[in-house]
Amino acid sequence: MDISSRIYTGVSKVVGPLMVIDGVEGIGYGEIAEIMLPGGETRIGQVLETTTTRALVQVFRGTRDLDTELTKVRFRGEPMKISLSSDMLGRTFDGSAQPVDGGGLVIPESIRDIYGSPINPAAREHPRNSIQTGISSIDGMNTLVRGQKLPIFSGAGLPHNLLASQIARQAKVTGQKEKFAVVFAAMGITYEESAFFIREFEESGALERTVLFLNLADDPAIERIITPRLALTTAEYLAFDKGMHVLVILTDLTNYCESLREIAAAREEVPGRRGYPGYIYTDLASLYERAGRIRGREGSITQIPILTMPDDDITHPVPDLTGYITEGQIVLSRELHRKGIYPPVDILPCLSRLMQGGIGQGRTRADHAEVKNQLYSAYARGVRLKSLVAVMGEEGLTPLDTMYLRFCDRYETDFINQASYEDRSFEDTFSIAWDLLSLLPRSELKRISQEYIDLYYHGEEGGVCKGP
Amino acid sequence: MVIDEKRDVMDTEIRNGTIIRVTGPVVEADNMSGCRMYESVKVGNAGLIGEIIILEGDRATIQVYEETTGLVPGEPVVRTYLPLSVELGPGLIGTMYDGIQRPLEEILKQSGDMIERGSSAPALNRTKKYKFRPLVKPGEKVGPGDRLGCVRELVAIIHYILVPPGVSGTVESIVGEGEYTITDSIAVLLSGSEKKSLTMVQRWPVREPRPVQERLDPIEPLLTGQRIIDTLFPLARGGTAAIPGPFGSGKTVVQQQLAKWVNADIIIYIGCGERGNEMADVLEEFPTLKDPRTGYTLSSRMVLIANTSNMPVAAREASVYTGITIAEYYRDMGYHVALMADSTSRWAEAMREISGRLEEMPGEEGYPAYLSSRLADFYERAGRVSLIGSGRHEGSISVIGAVSPPGGDFSEPVTQNTLRIVKVFWALDADLAYQRHFPAINWLMSYSLYSGIAGSWWENYVGPGFIQIKQEMMEILQRENELEEIIRLVGPETLPESDRLLLLKAEIIRESYLMQYAFDEFDTFTGPKKQYHMLTSIFSFFKRAETAIETGVTVAQLREHPIVERFARMGSASPEEEESLFEAIDKDIKSIRELKGMV
């Protein structure tokens, strides 16, 4: 098609992040529009709805300064694409994939649609390689597996960034040396937060293996809708074309959803829960489901999305829908944080759905699953007793109850708690776990087979505990 | 309805519609007069599959089953003159389809690891030959549902080739025993002066239930090998169940456990808007597991429908219909089919999303007003039925639908509308899941309306006293709940010894019987005989314990008795260990009396 014929001036309406162009012809759904402002600036937009003569466009960098007289719109005739190259490693881009590190444009090895296509379920390989993050509360209780999507549910003021950077720094598959890369997408986080990540990557030497896409808090909100897609398209290229194991950190998904809501409101769509649009599940799934492994290909995409739960409410639509899509979640607790425990992982609501396939003999250790189950049930019992003690006081507790209370405290201070630079091996984690289980009487370990108890249990019969 | 049959419109000139509006998965086209509601159409130059959902004048609104990016107003819409249908015939078993019955393995071979738009492949393999054995002779009169012959599908299933609904006549000719593809003509029926050639494949519109002779009441339980389900909240063959729960409460594990161990002949597993990795897990794991009843692999009795959450939303809406239509087809052969839909909430959300795009007036929480009738239509296709056809055979479909209520709140519309229809409710509980008590089915909230049917079955076929034991079990659990309230108020020290014993009983029931570890080789499945044995052992201990308490034995003593630990190991005991374990338990029970002397 002749390029000039696809330039229009018929902007008839501008509202919020949206604009309507009349008198157009043959505009495709999802097509990219270049909007040429009277001042000479060019912005990018995307077609949300198209009819025979009219197109509705969302403008990624905002509609300020648009007018209905002089503004010109050129339609590119193709959906949003990104230039990809392995030279992107070590580079920093803004939320629309423009370089902001002073370097030149990426010389493309490949150009791809940022929306991608769904991975054929028949092509997926079930993830089974457990990643050692060096963090006991994850490795021991909710093991991360290569190709998994495991979000961190956090709250304002909790150390989720510290935890994410510790995972990025320490994550490894034991006994394997493979090509590793980090893709980091910031959506509406502050300059300070993003500077923290960059510094962390720099110090650990990971920066040269990292691609950063930064849409910061003062960048246009609507751009946040494409930022994670740019990051994931890059990750797919590095993983499935270049055979790298890519860790994708997306933060903060709550801001992303706010942007979706903003557009839905501007379009006057029927709102679902808390004003979020009805398609938010599908939309989030189109991000999260881009994690995984593909049969016969080297690389993998592991996702750690971070989201802050408004008012620490896990039933808020963003964490709720995320939890339904991702393969588990790591939940941070304000209470543990106040107690000074780092990482303040609230073990009970945490889950790793892919753990089962990644642990056990030959992967982590044969007793892993049973130890995990026993720790869970013992800790849950301790927590329940604690809430009872808070009301009733300690009298009336049986000696066994006291043991559980002691276990519960030690579990938090010795097992969950660790330094932000402490890198524990799976063996370290299990050895702490057995130290703690040995605080309980042997007969209480109902979820562990006799053979493992004989091998690892070192408490005195009757549960009198030794050591400090 | 026979394949490739076009409606009686071939004489009129084929006209194409034109796209006039595109918004997400919804497309409007004009020049569409003459189209029928729910007719399937091909949209745009890429030929994306769509279905007409609104007609107004010569305008049609179409929901498109593929990603619509790049569609341009002005592109054509081509009619197919057929409603959205599935292909039914040999080759379904062991195949994974998407929501509109595209075989995903074939699509993989064609277009690579990612599903590209406009990919298509026939649902059933056209070149594979099946060994056909005729069951009728020329001259016989046959009607809908009659068996013309059979082929073996994989190893486990005898696939009957049935006369399609609406077709009857006299068999003029039928092929002899031999190898045929599904498109080869296998029989010619003569009806009046009209000859009709039949193949092994038929088509059926997914939104229309296949006809049955008569609907029957369920009469026997559908055994699942899951103790809490079989004992406390049983499902019946031909029954319906809902399993709602917040994320992380184990819906998918329960669904997969049912798909593995339920005693049905055919399993239809619909992954509706769920995770791709879970589907990969099913694909990898099921071929390695054996059906405890037949010894064949579990995948050789299963059809998998995978429309993961990132696949097009309209195809997600269609996936449950595709699944249940395939279920009906196997039911019509006289099989017991179990269908798992994980998750019906994603299906309802797909309806909501489409409804929102149509700018329909929303009902509760943005769901369309027809949500409850759609749910009812779907679950009503379950049931035990007497089949059409002269054999008067029987078949059944049992449906188990997972529900994912937002925030785990059961008062939301999908859960509530589902509960109005289904007869069994397995409520998953986040607190139980947090304690890693799995399956996290809450025993106080769940119910089953098939308890009566199941109870008499257990009494008749497994062992006497089952109903009594079950009743007592529920009472103990209920009482435990009350006692916990009291403890919360006044503390545990005031409880009399009899109440302490009740707490011990409840703990044994919970931890040794209701809790079942899905990933343990033996605990994953408990047959009815073993369940009964476990129950009788536990309850005869309870009886002994009651008398022992009266004679001065303390609950603390009982708690430390090795029998408590032995109970905990019953589930995971292998068949070889079982005997000695139960013997040891019997001995323990007898020895309880001796505890008295030790006080």
Side-chain angles (χ1 to χ4, degrees):
Chain A
M1 188 174 285
D2 179 12
I3 298 288
S4 62
S5 73
R6 292 183 58 89
I7 298 184
Y8 299 97
T9 50
V11 177
S12 61
K13 186 178 170 188
V14 184
V15 48
L18 305 177
M19 68 177 201
V20 176
I21 303 128
D22 274 322
V24 297
E25 201 188 317
I27 304 302
Y29 175 73
E31 201 174 302
I32 284 300
E34 287 169 21
I35 300 130
M36 291 165 263
L37 273 62
E41 189 191 341
T42 301
R43 291 187 195 153
I44 300 291
Q46 187 179 20
V47 176
L48 283 186
E49 188 178 319
T50 169
T51 68
T52 334
T53 59
R54 167 183 277 214
L56 176 72
V57 173
Q58 62 175 350
V59 186
F60 291 132
R61 297 196 78 103
T63 48
R64 199 161 49 88
D65 291 340
L66 249 72
D67 74 337
T68 51
E69 199 179 353
L70 298 170
T71 299
K72 282 190 227 153
V73 183
R74 186 170 86 85
F75 290 94
R76 277 195 195 159
E78 56 176 28
M80 185 88 179
K81 293 198 168 165
I82 177 173
S83 303
L84 297 166
S85 153
S86 31
D87 293 338
M88 292 170 85
L89 289 169
R91 300 285 309 271
T92 308
F93 303 90
D94 71 2
S96 307
Q98 300 303 313
V100 289
D101 52 1
L105 288 170
V106 173
I107 298 163
E109 291 167 11
S110 176
I111 297 179
R112 302 242 168 110
D113 177 359
I114 65 161
Y115 284 82
S117 295
I119 301 178
N120 188 328
R124 279 187 190 266
E125 184 176 317
H126 193 62
R128 291 194 197 281
N129 287 334
S130 47
I131 296 177
Q132 180 182 305
T133 64
I135 298 164
S136 293
S137 47
I138 297 178
D139 292 352
M141 309 302 286
N142 294 288
T143 318
L144 178 65
V145 176
R146 217 165 235 182
Q148 185 172 15
K149 38 194 181 292
L150 190 65
I152 299 176
F153 287 7
S154 184
L158 295 180
H160 44 265
N161 291 339
L162 197 57
L163 178 60
S165 68
Q166 189 176 4
I167 295 173
R169 185 173 58 238
Q170 297 180 172
K172 56 181 154 296
V173 171
T174 31
Q176 293 186 33
K177 238 187 145 51
E178 285 158 326
K179 288 195 279 182
F180 179 74
V182 176
V183 173
F184 178 83
M187 291 160 277
I189 62 169
T190 61
Y191 168 76
E192 227 171 289
E193 286 173 295
S194 95
F196 166 80
F197 275 105
I198 295 174
R199 202 167 51 241
E200 283 289 318
F201 292 145
E202 219 161 25
E203 278 168 15
S204 64
L207 195 59
E208 59 194 38
R209 312 220 48 78
T210 303
V211 189
L212 296 130
F213 292 91
L214 305 177
N215 168 293
L216 300 184
D218 56 349
D219 285 330
I222 303 307
E223 192 182 71
R224 282 165 208 162
I225 290 172
I226 53 172
T227 308
R229 299 194 156 86
L230 296 167
L232 287 164
T233 311
T234 310
E236 279 173 1
Y237 177 73
L238 295 174
F240 303 132
D241 288 52
K242 297 289 167 190
M244 296 183 182
H245 292 285
V246 186
L247 180 70
V248 182
I249 299 176
L250 306 169
T251 177
D252 176 330
L253 262 302
T254 310
N255 294 335
Y256 170 83
C257 293
E258 297 290 327
S259 301
L260 276 186
R261 180 162 70 175
E262 193 179 329
I263 291 177
R267 293 186 71 183
E268 299 176 8
E269 289 174 7
V270 178
R273 271 180 81 215
R274 301 222 192 165
Y276 290 98
Y279 48 80
I280 192 164
Y281 177 84
T282 310
D283 193 279
L284 283 172
S286 73
L287 298 180
Y288 297 142
E289 276 292 323
R290 290 173 82 172
R293 306 202 59 164
I294 290 181
R295 272 196 262 153
R297 302 232 193 164
E298 273 303 297
S300 66
I301 298 180
T302 310
Q303 271 189 29
I304 302 195
I306 300 172
L307 58 88
T308 45
M309 301 181 280
D311 197 25
D312 295 349
D313 176 11
I314 200 168
T315 66
H316 182 276
V318 179
D320 190 49
L321 294 174
T322 297
Y324 276 121
I325 305 164
T326 54
E327 284 129 358
Q329 64 276 339
I330 301 292
V331 184
L332 301 190
S333 144
R334 201 166 291 280
E335 197 190 322
L336 288 180
H337 183 56
R338 281 200 203 106
K339 284 190 196 166
I341 287 168
Y342 170 85
V345 176
D346 191 359
I347 290 294
L348 296 183
C350 287
L351 177 69
S352 167
R353 292 167 193 269
L354 299 182
M355 176 175 189
Q356 205 57 43
I359 62 171
Q361 184 87 49
R363 297 182 189 276
T364 54
R365 208 168 83 175
D367 57 333
H368 193 161
E370 294 178 16
V371 166
K372 175 205 72 166
N373 284 337
Q374 189 67 60
L375 287 173
Y376 256 113
S377 107
Y379 182 61
R381 178 155 173 186
V383 169
R384 212 169 45 230
L385 280 168
K386 264 194 179 171
S387 66
L388 202 63
V389 167
V391 184
M392 327 264 328
E394 298 215 8
E395 65 272 14
L397 290 182
T398 64
L400 186 63
D401 290 344
T402 321
M403 280 181 211
Y404 270 104
L405 281 178
R406 189 184 159 79
F407 168 86
C408 183
D409 286 334
R410 287 279 301 274
Y411 181 78
E412 287 174 2
T413 55
D414 296 7
F415 189 87
I416 301 181
N417 191 37
Q418 67 184 89
S420 61
Y421 270 82
E422 186 180 352
D423 189 357
R424 292 183 188 160
S425 69
F426 276 117
E427 281 296 329
D428 295 341
T429 295
F430 294 134
S431 121
I432 299 170
W434 276 103
D435 285 349
L436 296 174
L437 289 177
S438 300
L439 296 173
L440 299 172
R442 189 183 268 258
S443 60
E444 283 299 299
L445 307 185
K446 290 185 192 138
R447 304 201 187 188
I448 304 183
S449 325
Q450 207 57 49
E451 50 171 321
Y452 301 132
I453 295 182
D454 292 344
L455 201 55
Y456 300 112
Y457 182 78
H458 53 267
E460 285 168 37
E461 209 52 51
V464 188
C465 119
K466 58 174 187 182
Chain B
M1 311 209 86
V2 178
I3 184 166
D4 294 332
E5 181 194 49
K6 296 265 193 283
R7 290 209 182 134
D8 47 347
V9 283
M10 295 309 286
D11 48 339
T12 60
E13 175 197 355
I14 294 182
R15 291 185 310 166
N16 290 338
T18 310
I19 299 178
I20 54 170
R21 178 167 180 249
V22 186
T23 162
V26 172
V27 167
E28 265 176 54
D30 65 4
N31 200 17
M32 297 290 287
S33 54
C35 290
R36 302 188 184 188
M37 268 305 259
Y38 300 116
E39 181 174 324
S40 176
V41 291
K42 301 212 160 171
V43 179
N45 297 329
L48 311 180
I49 299 165
E51 185 182 17
I52 293 175
I53 49 174
I54 295 181
L55 284 170
E56 194 181 345
D58 74 340
R59 280 192 184 189
T61 304
I62 300 156
Q63 61 176 347
V64 181
Y65 293 120
E66 293 178 70
E67 179 57 47
T68 52
T69 301
L71 276 187
V72 177
E75 287 185 26
V77 175
V78 181
R79 297 184 54 185
T80 66
Y81 300 94
L82 284 170
L84 184 71
S85 313
V86 287
E87 263 184 31
L88 302 167
L92 290 165
I93 298 282
T95 310
M96 174 160 70
Y97 293 105
D98 77 351
I100 48 172
Q101 215 203 5
R102 290 186 298 187
L104 289 168
E105 291 281 354
E106 281 304 308
I107 300 283
L108 176 68
K109 280 180 209 154
Q110 276 183 23
S111 67
D113 298 332
M114 308 286 176
I115 302 176
E116 301 301 337
R117 291 187 317 142
S119 317
S120 74
L124 299 173
N125 190 328
R126 294 279 186 275
T127 52
K128 187 173 174 188
K129 291 203 165 181
Y130 291 91
K131 200 162 176 229
F132 176 81
R133 195 159 60 83
L135 294 172
V136 291
K137 292 190 189 69
E140 276 183 50
K141 271 195 179 332
V142 291
D146 283 342
R147 294 171 175 179
L148 288 172
C150 62
V151 301
R152 225 171 228 289
E153 190 169 7
L154 295 182
V155 281
I157 305 294
I158 295 176
H159 188 119
Y160 293 103
I161 307 299
L162 306 176
V163 178
V167 176
S168 58
T170 314
V171 180
E172 192 189 63
S173 65
I174 183 148
V175 294
E177 195 164 332
E179 304 227 320
Y180 303 92
T181 68
I182 55 166
T183 47
D184 289 337
S185 171
I186 48 151
V188 176
L189 297 192
L190 193 64
S191 165
S193 60
E194 205 182 320
K195 279 186 186 177
K196 196 159 187 91
S197 165
L198 297 180
T199 65
M200 286 196 252
V201 62
Q202 47 180 290
R203 288 188 79 87
W204 190 261
V206 296
R207 293 182 198 277
E208 195 179 321
R210 286 172 65 89
V212 298
Q213 187 86 28
E214 193 187 351
R215 299 184 55 118
L216 307 168
D217 283 336
I219 47 163
E220 54 181 345
L222 185 74
L223 296 175
T224 65
Q226 310 304 302
R227 296 190 289 265
I228 183 164
I229 293 178
D230 288 350
T231 305
L232 289 183
F233 310 110
L235 178 60
R237 272 194 168 156
T240 51
I243 173 160
F247 63 83
S249 58
K251 281 185 299 299
T252 301
V253 176
V254 172
Q255 287 274 39
Q256 289 190 3
Q257 283 294 95
L258 294 178
K260 282 175 196 167
W261 307 122
V262 83
N263 66 342
D265 305 310
I266 307 280
I267 306 293
I268 314 284
Y269 194 94
I270 310 173
C272 173
E274 290 286 309
R275 303 174 184 88
N277 280 333
E278 277 168 6
M279 291 293 126
D281 188 24
V282 171
L283 272 186
E284 281 176 31
E285 193 186 6
F286 278 51
T288 66
L289 296 172
K290 286 203 161 57
D291 183 344
R293 298 176 311 136
T294 62
Y296 294 119
T297 64
L298 289 174
S299 55
S300 62
R301 62 166 189 175
M302 187 164 77
V303 183
L304 193 60
I305 306 212
N307 211 91
T308 56
S309 54
N310 55 338
M311 284 157 76
V313 68
R316 191 196 305 164
E317 195 268 337
S319 63
V320 297
Y321 295 106
T322 300
I324 194 120
T325 309
I326 296 174
E328 286 174 339
Y329 177 65
Y330 281 100
R331 173 204 65 193
D332 289 352
M333 294 175 208
Y335 287 119
H336 295 290
V337 184
L339 178 142
M340 286 92 200
D342 185 13
S343 144
T344 58
S345 290
R346 305 297 162 231
W347 171 51
E349 278 166 15
M351 272 190 251
R352 174 167 73 180
E353 196 171 327
I354 304 284
S355 162
R357 303 271 185 188
L358 300 176
E359 294 166 9
E360 290 175 338
M361 184 68 87
E364 218 178 331
E365 289 193 19
Y367 286 103
Y370 45 80
L371 172 71
S372 89
S373 63
R374 290 281 173 89
L375 281 167
D377 286 348
F378 168 65
Y379 281 106
E380 272 300 284
R381 289 173 78 169
R384 174 175 158 254
V385 299
S386 156
L387 302 171
I388 57 168
S390 49
R392 301 290 279 174
H393 298 285
E394 238 183 69
S396 74
I397 299 177
S398 315
V399 172
I400 300 131
V403 184
S404 320
D409 171 14
F410 289 171
S411 68
E412 60 92 37
V414 182
T415 313
Q416 285 306 313
N417 282 308
T418 304
L419 288 186
R420 280 163 44 197
I421 310 156
V422 299
K423 300 284 192 296
V424 180
F425 173 47
W426 297 317
L428 293 180
D429 185 339
D431 283 336
L432 288 175
Y434 291 171
Q435 297 163 35
R436 297 311 189 255
H437 176 112
F438 287 116
I441 297 175
N442 182 308
W443 44 87
L444 297 176
M445 286 169 75
S446 305
Y447 60 79
S448 163
L449 301 183
Y450 301 119
S451 287
I453 297 167
S456 41
W457 182 88
W458 279 86
E459 293 273 343
N460 290 337
Y461 295 100
V462 188
F466 174 84
I467 296 178
Q468 171 84 22
I469 286 177
K470 176 183 167 174
Q471 189 60 36
E472 276 176 37
M473 190 189 262
M474 279 314 290
E475 277 163 20
I476 292 171
L477 292 169
Q478 178 66 44
R479 179 76 185 135
E480 181 197 30
N481 188 49
E482 292 163 17
L483 284 179
E484 275 182 350
E485 290 287 315
I486 295 172
I487 293 173
R488 227 164 279 145
L489 291 172
V490 297
E493 67 270 35
T494 54
L495 289 185
E497 206 65 357
S498 62
D499 282 347
R500 284 171 197 257
L501 176 62
L502 188 122
L503 290 178
L504 176 66
K505 285 180 182 174
E507 189 181 316
I508 291 172
I509 292 173
R510 280 190 284 110
E511 297 196 352
S512 304
Y513 194 77
L514 300 184
M515 200 159 84
Q516 194 170 356
Y517 191 46
F519 303 106
D520 182 276
E521 192 184 351
F522 301 106
D523 205 15
T524 185
F525 171 84
T526 310
K529 280 223 169 66
K530 184 173 172 186
Q531 288 190 31
Y532 182 72
H533 206 157
M534 289 171 78
L535 285 172
T536 45
S537 297
I538 292 174
F539 277 82
S540 53
F541 165 71
F542 288 177
K543 256 208 194 86
R544 241 353 129 78
E546 277 161 29
T547 32
I549 294 287
E550 279 166 19
T551 58
V553 175
T554 65
V555 173
Q557 272 179 304
L558 289 174
R559 190 180 282 277
E560 273 162 29
H561 198 280
I563 193 170
V564 178
E565 206 183 323
R566 279 201 245 279
F567 279 143
R569 302 198 189 282
M570 284 189 300
S572 54
S574 70
E576 297 80 54
E577 295 162 349
E578 239 172 78
E579 208 172 320
S580 59
L581 183 66
F582 280 124
E583 265 170 33
I585 288 173
D586 281 347
K587 236 180 244 143
D588 285 336
I589 293 174
K590 292 201 183 88
S591 74
I592 298 239
R593 206 176 308 210
E594 292 150 25
L595 285 175
K596 187 173 41 169
M598 295 159 64
V599 183

